[in-house]
């Protein structure tokens, strides 16, 4: 069983920054990919960023590419999402998720088995 715990959400003004953390110690031996997803008002769950454990390769949604960076702390197996130049439309609940096998579509929620409880991000003036 892979347990994931997010932290780092909060409120920020537009153009501000936040860094989300996903603690996933069991992923050291089990996870192929670790992702960030978000639920935003009026939209389906969206894959934001994906980290491929074997190579460190990353994948981003078009909506965040160039503003968000996903990375991993190898020692503690914490996956981060650095969010810069935040916009009001980035407001939502952000979830960390992991897969213990290869996936065909890295940003598709159905590919992921393990999920955290989520952390809220609010971007407003």
């Amino acid at each position: 069983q892979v347990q994931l715990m997010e932290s780092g959400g909060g409120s920020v003004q537009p153009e501000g920054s936040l860094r989300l953390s996903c603690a996933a110690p069991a992923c050291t031996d089990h996870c192929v990919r670790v992702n960030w997803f978000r639920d935003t008002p009026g939209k389906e769950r969206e894959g934001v960023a994906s980290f491929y454990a074997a190579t460190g390769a990353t994948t981003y949604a078009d909506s965040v590419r160039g503003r968000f960076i996903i990375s991993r702390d190898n020692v503690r197996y914490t996956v981060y999402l650095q969010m810069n130049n935040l916009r009001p439309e980035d407001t939502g609940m952000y979830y960390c998720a992991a897969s213990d096998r290869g996936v065909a579509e890295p940003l598709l929620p159905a590919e992921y088995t393990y999920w955290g409880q989520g952390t809220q991000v609010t971007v407003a003036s």
Side-chain angles (χ1 to χ4, degrees):
Q1 183 74 14
V2 176
Q3 293 185 330
L4 308 172
M5 182 169 292
E6 304 96 335
S7 61
S11 297
V12 65
Q13 293 186 341
E15 300 182 9
S17 297
L18 282 175
R19 189 177 78 160
L20 306 183
S21 300
C22 173
C27 271
T28 301
D29 297 322
H30 297 286
C31 298
V32 175
R33 281 189 178 271
V34 181
N35 272 32
W36 286 96
F37 292 87
R38 65 184 181 187
D39 288 343
T40 55
K43 296 183 179 180
E44 294 184 353
R45 180 164 291 181
E46 177 187 19
V48 173
S50 181
F51 186 92
Y52 182 48
T55 65
T58 56
T59 304
Y60 296 96
D62 289 344
S63 57
V64 306
R65 187 176 294 111
R67 300 188 297 124
F68 291 12
I69 301 170
I70 188 171
S71 62
R72 181 185 66 183
D73 177 330
N74 291 332
V75 174
R76 293 176 292 179
Y77 214 113
T78 299
V79 176
Y80 301 101
L81 185 68
Q82 177 66 43
M83 305 186 295
N84 301 317
N85 192 21
L86 283 160
R87 304 167 180 169
E89 55 264 40
D90 294 318
T91 293
M93 185 69 78
Y94 284 69
Y95 297 92
C96 179
S99 174
D100 56 8
R101 55 182 178 265
V103 304
E105 298 186 38
L107 298 180
L108 184 65
E111 298 271 24
Y112 294 84
T113 303
Y114 307 103
W115 291 82
Q117 295 300 305
T119 185
Q120 177 69 32
V121 172
T122 302
V123 185
S125 299

